[in-house]
């Protein structure tokens, strides 16, 4: 089991920001010695989970079997997908549902209308929580001290000139989410991308996931965009509350 745990740490070293790693780079990210990392990577390559060009490793589509198989067994994606499809058609924008995993969000369902981000998002995709609307909704649902500790423990890169990275400003943003019941992010993940998210809650009032729409930035103010998109999001949230409870 120790070997399995180390192999999983090596797999988790590959992210959107680090899709191509040398042995030494993977070793540093995974926190393992070089020899152990090399054995893990070569084993993953032997079984088709990594490609190796003699210097760099990249994960192959085969690794998706690990995540999509797990997601397929979860009831939430199957429940929300029809609602995402209908909402996406109604507002003409992509919609998603995500859950929180430490300091990242994990997409569990998505209905894409157009490509707004430079990367393709799909179930299993991950993004940092601190700069995403769904991430802020999910972090805001945590006790304030827990949310602060997760932010302090994670890298907070300045992804765009508009990205908030200061802990105090992020905590203020989370407090605003708690007060208003939704989160807006304006070009903090990528320039040209805006998003609005609302929490999906269960009968006990606990946030179990977040629902959002992402749309291109334009000359329209964020307030006008909220007028167009927030009510449809809240309607689907209410329908999901009824179904899930």
């Amino acid at each position: 089991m120790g070997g399995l745990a180390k192999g999983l740490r090596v797999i988790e070293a590959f992210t959107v920001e680090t899709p191509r790693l040398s042995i030494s780079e993977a070793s540093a990210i995974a926190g393992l010695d070089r020899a152990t990392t090399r054995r893990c990577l070569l084993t993953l390559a032997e079984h088709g989970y990594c490609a190796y060009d003699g210097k760099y490793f990249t994960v192959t589509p085969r690794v998706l079997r690990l995540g999509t198989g797990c997601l397929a067994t979860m009831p939430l994606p199957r429940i929300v997908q029809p609602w995402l499809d209908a909402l996406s058609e109604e507002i003409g924008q992509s919609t998603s549902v995500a859950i929180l995993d430490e300091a990242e969000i994990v997409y569990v369902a998505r209905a894409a209308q157009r490509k707004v981000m430079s990367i393709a998002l799909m179930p299993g995709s991950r993004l940092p929580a601190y700069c995403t609307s769904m991430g802020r909704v999910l972090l805001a649902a945590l006790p304030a001290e827990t949310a602060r500790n997760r932010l302090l423990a994670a890298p907070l890169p300045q992804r765009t000139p508009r990205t908030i990275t200061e802990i105090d400003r992020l905590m203020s943003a989370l407090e605003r989410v708690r007060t208003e019941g939704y989160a807006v992010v304006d070009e903090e993940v990528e320039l040209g991308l805006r998003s609005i998210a609302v929490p999906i809650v269960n009968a006990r009032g606990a946030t179990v996931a977040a629902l959002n729409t992402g749309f291109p930035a334009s000359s329209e103010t964020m307030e006008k965009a909220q007028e167009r998109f927030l009510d449809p999001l809240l309607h689907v949230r209410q329908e999901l509350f009824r179904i899930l409870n």
Side-chain angles (χ1 to χ4, degrees):
M1 297 307 294
L4 173 61
K6 292 171 183 176
L8 292 173
R9 285 168 64 180
V10 171
I11 290 174
E12 289 176 350
F14 293 92
T15 67
V16 171
E17 288 78 18
T18 56
R20 185 168 173 263
L21 295 171
S22 65
I23 293 172
S24 58
E25 289 168 340
S27 172
I29 295 171
L32 299 170
D33 63 75
R34 196 177 186 282
T36 299
T37 304
R38 179 177 181 276
R39 288 195 299 271
C40 289
L41 287 169
L42 290 176
T43 299
L44 289 167
E46 180 182 351
H47 290 276
Y49 290 101
C50 278
Y52 182 44
D53 65 5
K55 182 175 182 181
Y56 292 102
F57 290 84
T58 55
V59 291
T60 67
R62 186 183 181 93
V63 80
L64 292 175
R65 294 184 184 182
L66 303 176
T68 55
C70 177
L71 286 172
T73 67
M74 297 172 61
L76 184 61
R78 296 195 298 272
I79 292 170
V80 303
Q81 191 62 57
W83 291 96
L84 285 186
D85 293 338
L87 176 60
S88 187
E89 286 295 324
E90 176 189 350
I91 65 178
Q93 305 292 343
S94 298
T95 56
S96 307
V97 167
I99 59 175
L100 187 66
D101 181 19
E102 294 298 330
E104 293 182 314
I105 59 169
V106 182
Y107 284 73
V108 298
R110 181 166 168 82
Q113 280 284 332
R114 66 186 77 176
K115 186 174 180 181
V116 182
M117 291 191 69
S118 61
I119 60 172
L121 295 173
M122 63 190 73
S125 295
R126 290 173 174 263
L127 285 175
Y130 75 99
C131 60
T132 56
S133 60
M134 289 193 288
R136 289 189 185 165
V137 161
L138 295 166
L139 287 171
L142 300 174
E145 194 61 28
T146 302
R148 177 183 287 273
N149 289 338
R150 292 202 187 184
L151 290 170
L152 288 169
L156 304 174
Q158 186 86 38
R159 296 176 66 105
T160 80
R162 302 177 70 100
T163 308
I164 298 173
T165 59
E166 299 86 353
I167 293 295
D168 288 344
R169 289 185 64 197
L170 286 169
M171 294 303 295
S172 295
L174 297 186
E175 186 56 39
R176 182 174 179 180
V177 174
R178 294 186 188 101
T179 300
E180 298 184 343
Y182 63 91
V184 296
V185 165
D186 191 357
E187 298 188 87
E188 293 190 48
V189 181
E190 282 192 6
L191 290 176
L193 173 68
R194 290 171 166 174
S195 64
I196 302 174
V198 297
I200 298 174
V201 299
N202 62 21
R204 297 184 301 278
T207 297
V208 296
L211 162 70
N212 95 329
T213 182
F215 49 95
S218 66
S219 58
E220 180 182 57
T221 65
M222 196 62 169
E223 288 72 20
K224 286 290 185 182
Q226 287 174 217
E227 289 178 12
R228 283 200 294 141
F229 299 130
L230 185 55
D231 281 348
L233 284 168
L234 290 172
H235 172 72
V236 171
R237 163 199 152 117
Q238 186 59 34
E239 291 298 317
L240 290 174
F241 174 82
R242 181 179 58 82
I243 293 169
L244 291 170
N245 298 288

